[in-house]
Coordinates of all heavy atoms in Angstrom, one line a residue:
M1 N -1.6 5.5 -12.8 CA -2.3 4.6 -11.8 C -2.2 3.2 -12.3 O -2.1 2.3 -11.5 CB -3.8 5.0 -11.7 CG -4.4 4.3 -10.6 SD -6.0 4.9 -9.9 CE -6.5 6.2 -11.0
L2 N -2.3 2.9 -13.6 CA -2.2 1.6 -14.1 C -0.8 0.9 -13.8 O -0.7 -0.2 -13.5 CB -2.4 1.5 -15.6 CG -3.8 1.7 -16.1 CD1 -3.9 1.8 -17.6 CD2 -4.8 0.7 -15.5
D3 N 0.2 1.8 -13.8 CA 1.6 1.3 -13.4 C 1.5 0.7 -12.0 O 2.1 -0.3 -11.7 CB 2.6 2.3 -13.5 CG 2.9 2.7 -15.0 OD1 2.6 1.9 -15.8 OD2 3.4 3.8 -15.2
R4 N 0.9 1.5 -11.1 CA 0.9 1.1 -9.7 C 0.0 -0.1 -9.5 O 0.3 -1.0 -8.7 CB 0.3 2.2 -8.8 CG 1.3 2.9 -8.0 CD 0.7 4.0 -7.3 NE 1.0 3.9 -5.9 CZ 0.9 4.9 -5.0 NH1 0.4 6.0 -5.4 NH2 1.2 4.7 -3.8
A5 N -1.1 -0.2 -10.3 CA -2.0 -1.4 -10.2 C -1.3 -2.6 -10.7 O -1.5 -3.7 -10.1 CB -3.3 -1.1 -11.0
G6 N -0.4 -2.5 -11.7 CA 0.3 -3.6 -12.2 C 1.3 -4.2 -11.2 O 1.7 -5.3 -11.3
K7 N 1.7 -3.3 -10.2 CA 2.7 -3.8 -9.2 C 2.0 -4.4 -8.0 O 2.7 -4.8 -7.1 CB 3.5 -2.6 -8.8 CG 4.4 -2.1 -9.9 CD 5.2 -0.9 -9.5 CE 5.9 -0.3 -10.7 NZ 6.6 1.0 -10.3
T8 N 0.7 -4.3 -8.0 CA -0.1 -4.8 -6.8 C 0.1 -6.3 -6.8 O -0.1 -7.0 -7.8 CB -1.6 -4.4 -6.9 OG1 -1.6 -3.0 -7.0 CG2 -2.3 -4.9 -5.7
D9 N 0.4 -6.8 -5.6 CA 0.6 -8.2 -5.4 C -0.6 -8.9 -4.8 O -1.1 -8.4 -3.8 CB 1.9 -8.4 -4.5 CG 2.2 -9.9 -4.3 OD1 2.0 -10.7 -5.3 OD2 2.7 -10.3 -3.2
F10 N -1.1 -10.0 -5.4 CA -2.1 -10.8 -4.8 C -1.5 -12.1 -4.3 O -1.2 -13.0 -5.1 CB -3.2 -11.1 -5.8 CG -4.0 -9.9 -6.3 CD1 -3.7 -9.2 -7.4 CD2 -5.0 -9.4 -5.5 CE1 -4.4 -8.1 -7.8 CE2 -5.8 -8.3 -5.9 CZ -5.4 -7.6 -7.1
P11 N -1.3 -12.2 -3.0 CA -0.6 -13.4 -2.4 C -1.3 -14.7 -2.8 O -0.7 -15.7 -3.1 CB -0.7 -13.2 -0.9 CG -0.9 -11.7 -0.7 CD -1.7 -11.2 -1.9
D12 N -2.6 -14.7 -3.0 CA -3.3 -15.9 -3.3 C -3.0 -16.4 -4.8 O -3.3 -17.5 -5.1 CB -4.9 -15.7 -3.2 CG -5.3 -15.6 -1.8 OD1 -4.5 -16.1 -0.9 OD2 -6.4 -15.1 -1.5
A13 N -2.5 -15.5 -5.6 CA -2.3 -15.8 -7.0 C -0.9 -16.4 -7.2 O -0.6 -16.9 -8.3 CB -2.4 -14.5 -7.8
R14 N -0.1 -16.5 -6.1 CA 1.3 -17.0 -6.3 C 1.3 -18.6 -6.5 O 2.2 -19.1 -7.1 CB 2.1 -16.7 -5.0 CG 2.4 -15.3 -4.9 CD 3.3 -15.0 -3.7 NE 3.3 -13.6 -3.4 CZ 3.4 -13.1 -2.2 NH1 3.5 -13.9 -1.1 NH2 3.3 -11.8 -1.9
E15 N 0.3 -19.2 -5.9 CA 0.3 -20.7 -5.9 C -0.7 -21.2 -6.9 O -1.8 -20.7 -6.9 CB 0.1 -21.3 -4.5 CG 1.1 -20.9 -3.5 CD 0.7 -21.4 -2.1 OE1 -0.1 -22.3 -2.0 OE2 1.3 -20.9 -1.2
P16 N -0.4 -22.1 -7.7 CA -1.4 -22.7 -8.6 C -2.6 -23.3 -7.9 O -2.4 -23.9 -6.8 CB -0.7 -23.7 -9.5 CG 0.6 -23.8 -8.9 CD 0.9 -22.8 -7.9
R17 N -3.8 -23.2 -8.4 CA -5.0 -23.7 -7.7 C -5.4 -25.0 -8.5 O -5.3 -25.1 -9.7 CB -6.1 -22.7 -7.7 CG -5.7 -21.5 -6.9 CD -6.9 -20.6 -6.7 NE -6.6 -19.5 -5.8 CZ -6.6 -19.6 -4.5 NH1 -7.0 -20.7 -3.9 NH2 -6.3 -18.6 -3.8
E18 N -6.1 -25.8 -7.7 CA -6.8 -27.0 -8.3 C -7.9 -26.5 -9.1 O -8.4 -25.4 -8.9 CB -7.3 -27.9 -7.2 CG -6.2 -28.5 -6.3 CD -5.3 -29.5 -6.9 OE1 -5.8 -30.2 -7.8 OE2 -4.1 -29.6 -6.6
A19 N -8.3 -27.3 -10.1 CA -9.4 -26.8 -11.0 C -10.7 -26.5 -10.3 O -11.5 -25.7 -10.7 CB -9.7 -27.9 -12.0
H20 N -11.0 -27.2 -9.1 CA -12.2 -27.0 -8.4 C -12.2 -25.8 -7.4 O -13.2 -25.5 -6.9 CB -12.6 -28.3 -7.7 CG -11.7 -28.6 -6.6 ND1 -10.5 -29.3 -6.8 CD2 -11.7 -28.4 -5.3 CE1 -9.9 -29.5 -5.7 NE2 -10.6 -29.0 -4.7
Q21 N -11.0 -25.3 -7.2 CA -10.8 -24.2 -6.3 C -11.1 -22.8 -6.9 O -10.8 -22.6 -8.1 CB -9.4 -24.1 -5.7 CG -9.1 -25.3 -4.7 CD -7.7 -25.2 -4.2 OE1 -6.8 -25.0 -4.9 NE2 -7.6 -25.4 -2.9
V22 N -11.7 -21.9 -6.1 CA -12.1 -20.6 -6.6 C -10.9 -19.7 -6.4 O -10.3 -19.7 -5.3 CB -13.3 -20.1 -5.9 CG1 -13.6 -18.6 -6.4 CG2 -14.5 -21.0 -6.2
D23 N -10.5 -18.9 -7.4 CA -9.5 -17.9 -7.3 C -10.1 -16.6 -6.9 O -10.8 -16.0 -7.7 CB -8.7 -17.8 -8.6 CG -7.6 -16.7 -8.6 OD1 -7.4 -16.2 -7.5 OD2 -7.0 -16.5 -9.6
P24 N -9.9 -16.1 -5.6 CA -10.5 -14.9 -5.2 C -10.2 -13.7 -6.0 O -10.9 -12.8 -6.2 CB -10.1 -14.7 -3.8 CG -9.0 -15.7 -3.6 CD -9.0 -16.7 -4.7
T25 N -9.0 -13.7 -6.6 CA -8.6 -12.5 -7.4 C -9.4 -12.4 -8.7 O -9.7 -11.3 -9.2 CB -7.1 -12.5 -7.8 OG1 -6.8 -13.7 -8.5 CG2 -6.2 -12.4 -6.5
T26 N -9.8 -13.6 -9.2 CA -10.7 -13.6 -10.4 C -12.1 -13.0 -10.0 O -12.7 -12.2 -10.8 CB -10.9 -15.0 -10.9 OG1 -9.6 -15.5 -11.2 CG2 -11.8 -15.0 -12.2
R27 N -12.6 -13.3 -8.8 CA -13.8 -12.7 -8.4 C -13.7 -11.2 -8.3 O -14.6 -10.5 -8.6 CB -14.3 -13.3 -7.1 CG -14.7 -14.7 -7.2 CD -15.5 -15.3 -6.1 NE -15.6 -14.5 -4.9 CZ -15.1 -14.9 -3.7 NH1 -14.6 -16.1 -3.5 NH2 -15.2 -14.2 -2.6
Y28 N -12.6 -10.7 -7.8 CA -12.4 -9.2 -7.7 C -12.6 -8.6 -9.1 O -13.2 -7.6 -9.2 CB -11.0 -8.8 -7.2 CG -10.7 -9.3 -5.8 CD1 -9.4 -9.6 -5.4 CD2 -11.6 -9.4 -4.8 CE1 -9.1 -10.0 -4.2 CE2 -11.3 -9.8 -3.5 CZ -10.0 -10.1 -3.2 OH -9.7 -10.5 -1.9
V29 N -12.0 -9.2 -10.1 CA -12.0 -8.7 -11.4 C -13.4 -8.7 -12.0 O -13.8 -7.8 -12.7 CB -11.0 -9.4 -12.3 CG1 -11.1 -9.0 -13.7 CG2 -9.6 -9.1 -11.8
T30 N -14.1 -9.8 -11.7 CA -15.4 -10.0 -12.4 C -16.6 -9.6 -11.7 O -17.7 -9.4 -12.3 CB -15.6 -11.5 -12.8 OG1 -15.5 -12.3 -11.6 CG2 -14.5 -12.0 -13.7
E31 N -16.5 -9.4 -10.4 CA -17.7 -9.2 -9.6 C -17.8 -7.8 -9.0 O -18.8 -7.4 -8.4 CB -17.9 -10.2 -8.4 CG -18.1 -11.6 -8.9 CD -18.1 -12.6 -7.8 OE1 -18.1 -12.2 -6.6 OE2 -18.2 -13.8 -8.1
I32 N -16.8 -6.9 -9.2 CA -16.8 -5.6 -8.6 C -16.8 -4.6 -9.7 O -16.1 -4.7 -10.6 CB -15.6 -5.4 -7.6 CG1 -15.7 -6.4 -6.5 CG2 -15.6 -4.0 -7.1 CD1 -14.5 -6.3 -5.5
D33 N -17.7 -3.6 -9.5 CA -17.7 -2.5 -10.5 C -16.4 -1.8 -10.6 O -15.8 -1.4 -9.6 CB -18.8 -1.5 -10.0 CG -19.1 -0.4 -11.0 OD1 -18.1 0.1 -11.7 OD2 -20.2 0.0 -11.2
P34 N -15.8 -1.6 -11.8 CA -14.5 -1.0 -11.9 C -14.5 0.4 -11.3 O -13.4 0.9 -10.9 CB -14.3 -0.9 -13.4 CG -15.3 -1.7 -14.0 CD -16.4 -2.0 -13.0
C35 N -15.6 1.2 -11.3 CA -15.6 2.5 -10.7 C -15.3 2.5 -9.2 O -14.6 3.3 -8.7 CB -16.9 3.2 -11.0 SG -17.1 3.6 -12.8
V36 N -15.9 1.4 -8.6 CA -15.7 1.3 -7.2 C -14.3 0.9 -6.9 O -13.6 1.5 -6.0 CB -16.7 0.2 -6.6 CG1 -16.4 -0.1 -5.2 CG2 -18.1 0.6 -6.8
V37 N -13.7 0.0 -7.6 CA -12.3 -0.4 -7.5 C -11.4 0.8 -7.7 O -10.5 1.0 -6.9 CB -12.0 -1.6 -8.4 CG1 -10.5 -1.9 -8.4 CG2 -12.8 -2.8 -8.2
N38 N -11.7 1.6 -8.7 CA -10.9 2.8 -8.9 C -10.9 3.7 -7.7 O -9.9 4.2 -7.3 CB -11.3 3.4 -10.2 CG -10.4 4.6 -10.6 OD1 -9.2 4.4 -10.8 ND2 -11.0 5.8 -10.7
A39 N -12.1 4.0 -7.2 CA -12.3 4.9 -6.1 C -11.5 4.4 -4.9 O -10.9 5.2 -4.2 CB -13.8 5.1 -5.8
V40 N -11.6 3.1 -4.6 CA -10.9 2.5 -3.5 C -9.4 2.6 -3.7 O -8.7 3.0 -2.7 CB -11.4 1.1 -3.2 CG1 -10.5 0.4 -2.2 CG2 -12.8 1.0 -2.8
F41 N -9.0 2.3 -4.9 CA -7.5 2.4 -5.1 C -7.0 3.8 -5.0 O -5.9 4.0 -4.4 CB -7.3 1.8 -6.5 CG -5.8 1.5 -6.8 CD1 -5.2 0.4 -6.2 CD2 -5.0 2.3 -7.5 CE1 -3.9 0.1 -6.4 CE2 -3.7 2.0 -7.7 CZ -3.1 0.9 -7.2
V42 N -7.7 4.8 -5.5 CA -7.3 6.2 -5.4 C -7.2 6.6 -3.9 O -6.2 7.2 -3.5 CB -8.3 7.1 -6.1 CG1 -8.0 8.6 -5.8 CG2 -8.1 6.9 -7.6
K43 N -8.2 6.2 -3.1 CA -8.2 6.5 -1.7 C -7.0 5.8 -1.0 O -6.3 6.4 -0.2 CB -9.5 6.1 -1.0 CG -9.6 6.5 0.4 CD -9.5 8.0 0.6 CE -9.7 8.4 2.0 NZ -9.5 9.8 2.2
L44 N -6.7 4.6 -1.3 CA -5.6 3.9 -0.8 C -4.2 4.5 -1.1 O -3.3 4.6 -0.3 CB -5.6 2.4 -1.2 CG -6.6 1.5 -0.6 CD1 -6.6 0.1 -1.3 CD2 -6.4 1.4 0.9
M45 N -4.1 5.0 -2.4 CA -2.9 5.8 -2.8 C -2.8 7.0 -1.9 O -1.7 7.4 -1.5 CB -2.9 6.1 -4.3 CG -2.8 4.9 -5.1 SD -2.5 5.2 -6.9 CE -3.6 6.5 -7.3
E46 N -3.9 7.7 -1.7 CA -3.8 9.0 -0.9 C -3.4 8.6 0.5 O -2.5 9.3 1.1 CB -5.2 9.6 -0.8 CG -5.6 10.3 -2.1 CD -7.1 10.7 -2.1 OE1 -7.7 10.6 -1.1 OE2 -7.5 11.2 -3.2
L47 N -3.9 7.6 1.1 CA -3.5 7.1 2.5 C -2.1 6.7 2.5 O -1.4 7.0 3.5 CB -4.4 6.0 3.0 CG -5.9 6.4 3.2 CD1 -6.7 5.1 3.5 CD2 -6.0 7.3 4.4
E48 N -1.6 6.0 1.5 CA -0.2 5.7 1.4 C 0.7 6.9 1.4 O 1.7 6.9 2.0 CB 0.0 4.8 0.2 CG 1.4 4.2 0.0 CD 1.5 3.4 -1.2 OE1 1.4 3.9 -2.3 OE2 1.7 2.2 -1.1
D49 N 0.3 7.9 0.6 CA 1.1 9.1 0.5 C 1.1 9.8 1.8 O 2.2 10.3 2.2 CB 0.5 10.0 -0.6 CG 0.8 9.5 -2.0 OD1 1.6 8.6 -2.2 OD2 0.1 9.9 -2.9
E50 N 0.0 9.9 2.5 CA -0.1 10.5 3.8 C 0.9 9.8 4.8 O 1.6 10.4 5.6 CB -1.5 10.5 4.4 CG -2.4 11.5 3.7 CD -3.8 11.4 4.2 OE1 -4.1 10.9 5.3 OE2 -4.7 11.9 3.5
Q51 N 0.9 8.5 4.8 CA 1.7 7.7 5.7 C 3.2 8.0 5.4 O 4.0 8.1 6.3 CB 1.4 6.2 5.5 CG 2.2 5.3 6.5 CD 1.8 5.6 7.9 OE1 0.7 5.7 8.3 NE2 2.8 5.7 8.8
E52 N 3.5 8.0 4.1 CA 4.9 8.3 3.7 C 5.3 9.7 4.2 O 6.5 9.9 4.7 CB 5.1 8.2 2.2 CG 5.1 6.8 1.7 CD 5.2 6.7 0.2 OE1 5.4 7.7 -0.5 OE2 5.0 5.5 -0.3
E53 N 4.4 10.7 4.1 CA 4.8 12.0 4.6 C 4.9 12.0 6.1 O 5.9 12.6 6.6 CB 3.6 13.0 4.2 CG 3.6 13.4 2.8 CD 2.4 14.2 2.4 OE1 1.8 14.9 3.3 OE2 2.0 14.3 1.2
T54 N 4.1 11.3 6.8 CA 4.2 11.2 8.3 C 5.5 10.5 8.7 O 6.2 11.0 9.6 CB 3.0 10.4 8.8 OG1 1.8 11.1 8.5 CG2 3.1 10.3 10.3
N55 N 5.9 9.5 8.0 CA 7.1 8.8 8.3 C 8.3 9.7 8.0 O 9.3 9.7 8.8 CB 7.2 7.5 7.4 CG 6.3 6.4 7.9 OD1 5.7 6.5 9.0 ND2 6.1 5.4 7.0
H56 N 8.2 10.5 6.9 CA 9.3 11.4 6.6 C 9.5 12.5 7.7 O 10.6 12.8 8.1 CB 9.1 12.0 5.2 CG 10.2 12.9 4.8 ND1 11.4 12.5 4.5 CD2 10.2 14.3 4.6 CE1 12.2 13.5 4.2 NE2 11.4 14.6 4.2
M57 N 8.3 13.0 8.1 CA 8.4 14.1 9.2 C 8.9 13.5 10.5 O 9.7 14.1 11.2 CB 6.9 14.6 9.4 CG 6.4 15.4 8.2 SD 7.5 16.8 7.7 CE 7.4 17.8 9.2
N58 N 8.5 12.3 10.8 CA 9.1 11.6 12.0 C 10.6 11.4 11.9 O 11.3 11.6 12.9 CB 8.4 10.3 12.2 CG 7.0 10.4 12.7 OD1 6.5 11.5 13.2 ND2 6.2 9.4 12.6
E59 N 11.1 11.1 10.7 CA 12.5 10.9 10.5 C 13.2 12.3 10.7 O 14.3 12.3 11.3 CB 12.8 10.4 9.1 CG 12.4 8.9 9.0 CD 12.6 8.4 7.6 OE1 13.1 9.2 6.7 OE2 12.2 7.3 7.3
I60 N 12.7 13.3 10.2 CA 13.3 14.7 10.3 C 13.3 15.1 11.8 O 14.3 15.6 12.3 CB 12.5 15.7 9.5 CG1 12.7 15.5 8.0 CG2 12.9 17.1 9.8 CD1 11.8 16.3 7.1
E61 N 12.2 14.9 12.5 CA 12.1 15.2 13.9 C 13.2 14.4 14.7 O 13.8 14.9 15.6 CB 10.7 15.0 14.5 CG 9.7 16.0 14.0 CD 8.3 15.6 14.4 OE1 8.1 14.6 15.2 OE2 7.4 16.3 13.9
Q62 N 13.3 13.1 14.4 CA 14.3 12.3 15.1 C 15.7 12.8 14.8 O 16.5 12.9 15.7 CB 14.1 10.8 14.7 CG 15.1 9.9 15.4 CD 14.8 9.9 16.9 OE1 13.6 9.8 17.3 NE2 15.8 10.0 17.7
D63 N 16.0 13.2 13.5 CA 17.3 13.7 13.2 C 17.6 15.0 14.0 O 18.7 15.2 14.5 CB 17.4 14.0 11.7 CG 17.4 12.7 10.9 OD1 17.7 11.6 11.4 OD2 17.2 12.8 9.6
E64 N 16.6 15.8 14.1 CA 16.8 17.1 14.9 C 17.0 16.8 16.3 O 17.9 17.4 17.0 CB 15.6 18.0 14.7 CG 15.4 18.6 13.3 CD 14.1 19.3 13.1 OE1 13.3 19.3 14.0 OE2 13.9 19.9 12.0
L65 N 16.3 15.8 16.9 CA 16.6 15.4 18.3 C 18.0 14.9 18.5 O 18.7 15.2 19.4 CB 15.5 14.4 18.7 CG 14.1 14.9 19.0 CD1 13.2 13.7 19.3 CD2 14.1 15.9 20.2
D66 N 18.4 14.1 17.5 CA 19.7 13.5 17.6 C 20.8 14.6 17.5 O 21.8 14.6 18.3 CB 20.0 12.5 16.4 CG 19.2 11.2 16.6 OD1 18.6 11.0 17.7 OD2 19.1 10.5 15.6
E67 N 20.6 15.6 16.7 CA 21.5 16.7 16.6 C 21.6 17.5 17.8 O 22.6 17.9 18.3 CB 21.1 17.6 15.4 CG 21.4 17.0 14.0 CD 20.9 17.8 12.9 OE1 20.4 18.9 13.1 OE2 20.9 17.3 11.7
D68 N 20.4 17.8 18.4 CA 20.3 18.5 19.7 C 21.0 17.8 20.8 O 21.8 18.4 21.6 CB 18.9 18.7 20.1 CG 18.1 19.8 19.2 OD1 18.8 20.4 18.4 OD2 16.9 19.8 19.3
M69 N 20.8 16.5 20.9 CA 21.5 15.7 21.9 C 23.0 15.7 21.7 O 23.8 15.8 22.7 CB 21.0 14.2 21.9 CG 19.5 14.2 22.4 SD 18.8 12.5 22.3 CE 19.9 11.6 23.5
T70 N 23.4 15.6 20.5 CA 24.9 15.6 20.2 C 25.5 16.9 20.5 O 26.6 17.0 21.1 CB 25.1 15.3 18.7 OG1 24.5 14.0 18.4 CG2 26.6 15.3 18.4
A71 N 24.8 18.0 20.3 CA 25.2 19.4 20.6 C 25.4 19.6 22.1 O 26.3 20.3 22.6 CB 24.3 20.4 20.0
E72 N 24.5 18.9 22.9 CA 24.5 19.1 24.3 C 25.7 18.3 24.9 O 26.2 18.7 26.0 CB 23.2 18.6 24.9 CG 22.1 19.5 24.7 CD 20.8 19.0 25.3 OE1 20.8 18.0 26.0 OE2 19.7 19.5 25.0
L73 N 26.2 17.3 24.2 CA 27.3 16.6 24.8 C 28.6 17.3 24.5 O 29.5 17.5 25.1 CB 27.4 15.2 24.1 CG 26.2 14.3 24.4 CD1 26.3 13.0 23.6 CD2 26.1 13.9 25.9

């Protein structure tokens, strides 16, 4: 899980901030209970896996439809 977390991109962190500006990613790290963050991240990984499975099944179904259409021609 740490490997995946290390690959997480925070768009706000790409540009340097002025000294008076607040970095929202720092607030995530310091103001949220790590157990809550972990639970949310685990759930997001599960949802991501479900979406990948759905996409894969849709691709298989489309391939089967394409084969059926080709066979009919």
